[in-house]
Amino acid sequence: MSGEVDFWSATIAAYQPLQLTSPELSPKLLKRPPFRFIHDIVYSIDARFAAYDHVIPAELRDSAQVDTKEKKIEYLTILINYINKLMKVDLDVNPKKIVSGNEPEKTNIFLQYLAAAVGYAQQDKAALAASAPKQKSAASASTSLSPPAASSLTGPAQTSGSLPPASSLCRKKSSLVDDAARRSSHLSALDEAAKFNRKLSSYSLNLSLSEQRDVRTEGQSIVRMWKALSNPQVETEPSRMPQETLETAIKRQIETIKMMQELLSENHRVIEKLESLVT
């Protein structure tokens, strides 16, 4: 379709660093994301990162139980409100529109924030878990203390609608600016990581990253190689390849080594940026 605006590629790129096994983020589904598709994405995120399971009620985590329009809207509303609070944003997305399949471009923006907020959600979950015992202890301690008499409260503290001091407003404004910069940095780092991942995929590199290796076997192989090099059993002979062919092969090897060095340097830069997001 000519003139069609691509609003789904950014969503695919946002999820590449998460390496979810399912569901497949295809343009066909992202052009009009169905609710079950969104629920499966969140379920897959929680299965790998346990990022949002602390805010979603148990009865809504099973997609089979979310079988009415009202429950679907409730599920999405919980997530949207949590993302808004966590990322200090105000997403222009309506859960009713998502359920009905309208405004898919806004739904994709919501999905992008859902991916970007995974690390923050994990930190928030850990912070809540750490503060729970302290809050319980503070609550038990407060019950042993008698509340102050009403006459002891004087001045502005008695007014429930009193405004915060101007200094606190300034700090809040600064915090919003910092949060916006942090979100921008986060999305930029994720985008750079996704581009680097695509760049690596374009090379024919047999990295065997998923292959399991035995340390002892690898060590024995290195020892055998060292012994063979230290005590050659055969005399080496000059290569019979033409000099021009040898020079070309050597140049290609040098170019390959330089390429690998550049990839390693770029990999280190990407890792440093990603690490800075969680420190």
Side-chain angles (χ1 to χ4, degrees):
M1 177 178 174
S2 59
E4 187 176 23
V5 178
D6 181 357
F7 52 79
W8 53 87
S9 292
T11 307
I12 296 174
Y15 280 86
Q16 282 182 344
L18 301 182
Q19 297 182 347
L20 302 180
T21 56
S22 64
E24 180 185 0
L25 274 72
S26 64
K28 180 180 179 181
L29 288 171
L30 289 171
K31 286 181 180 180
R32 191 180 181 186
F35 174 81
R36 176 60 186 270
F37 173 64
I38 298 173
H39 194 286
D40 287 347
I41 290 176
V42 178
Y43 182 86
S44 186
I45 289 175
D46 282 340
R48 180 160 188 167
F49 302 102
Y52 300 115
D53 53 359
H54 64 297
V55 296
I56 301 174
E59 63 272 14
L60 296 180
R61 295 176 199 164
D62 183 1
S63 59
Q65 300 297 323
V66 190
D67 51 2
T68 65
K69 183 178 180 180
E70 290 73 19
K71 289 182 179 180
K72 294 176 181 179
I73 292 174
E74 179 187 359
Y75 178 88
L76 292 169
T77 300
I78 291 172
L79 281 175
I80 293 170
N81 290 341
Y82 183 63
I83 294 297
N84 284 338
K85 177 183 176 183
L86 191 65
M87 303 295 283
K88 302 294 190 299
V89 294
D90 186 12
L91 294 177
D92 181 19
V93 59
N94 188 327
K96 294 181 180 179
K97 298 282 188 180
I98 296 177
V99 173
S100 61
N102 295 322
E103 300 181 344
E105 65 282 356
K106 294 183 179 181
T107 304
N108 272 258
I109 293 175
F110 162 63
L111 289 174
Q112 291 166 30
Y113 269 95
L114 201 65
V118 167
Y120 296 112
Q122 288 178 318
Q123 294 176 14
D124 180 61
K125 181 180 179 180
L128 290 174
S131 64
K134 296 179 181 179
Q135 292 177 351
K136 184 176 180 181
S137 176
S140 61
S142 64
T143 56
S144 63
L145 300 176
S146 58
S151 59
S152 65
L153 299 176
T154 59
Q158 289 180 310
T159 308
S160 60
S162 58
L163 295 175
S167 58
S168 66
L169 295 178
C170 293
R171 286 195 297 272
K172 189 172 183 180
K173 182 178 180 181
S174 175
S175 176
L176 290 175
V177 174
D178 293 341
D179 289 335
R182 183 183 64 177
R183 288 194 302 274
S184 176
S185 175
H186 191 129
L187 293 174
S188 175
L190 289 178
D191 182 60
E192 185 173 348
K195 289 179 180 178
F196 181 66
N197 187 45
R198 290 195 297 270
K199 184 177 181 179
L200 278 181
S201 301
S202 66
Y203 290 106
S204 299
L205 301 175
N206 184 18
L207 300 178
S208 301
L209 297 178
S210 60
E211 180 182 345
Q212 294 185 355
R213 298 187 177 185
D214 181 67
V215 176
R216 178 176 295 180
T217 303
E218 291 293 321
Q220 291 173 348
S221 174
I222 294 172
V223 171
R224 286 195 300 270
M225 186 185 302
W226 172 255
K227 289 181 178 179
L229 291 173
S230 301
N231 303 294
Q233 301 298 321
V234 295
E235 295 183 0
T236 58
E237 297 181 358
S239 174
R240 297 179 181 179
M241 295 176 63
Q243 182 177 353
E244 184 179 354
T245 304
L246 282 173
E247 290 177 352
T248 301
I250 292 172
K251 287 180 180 179
R252 288 180 178 176
Q253 284 291 89
I254 294 175
E255 290 173 357
T256 301
I257 293 173
K258 288 182 178 179
M259 180 193 72
M260 294 300 297
Q261 289 176 337
E262 291 175 358
L263 288 175
L264 285 173
S265 298
E266 186 174 353
N267 180 62
H268 290 155
R269 290 195 299 270
V270 171
I271 290 176
E272 286 177 358
K273 288 187 177 181
L274 293 175
E275 287 179 341
S276 67
L277 299 177
V278 295
T279 55

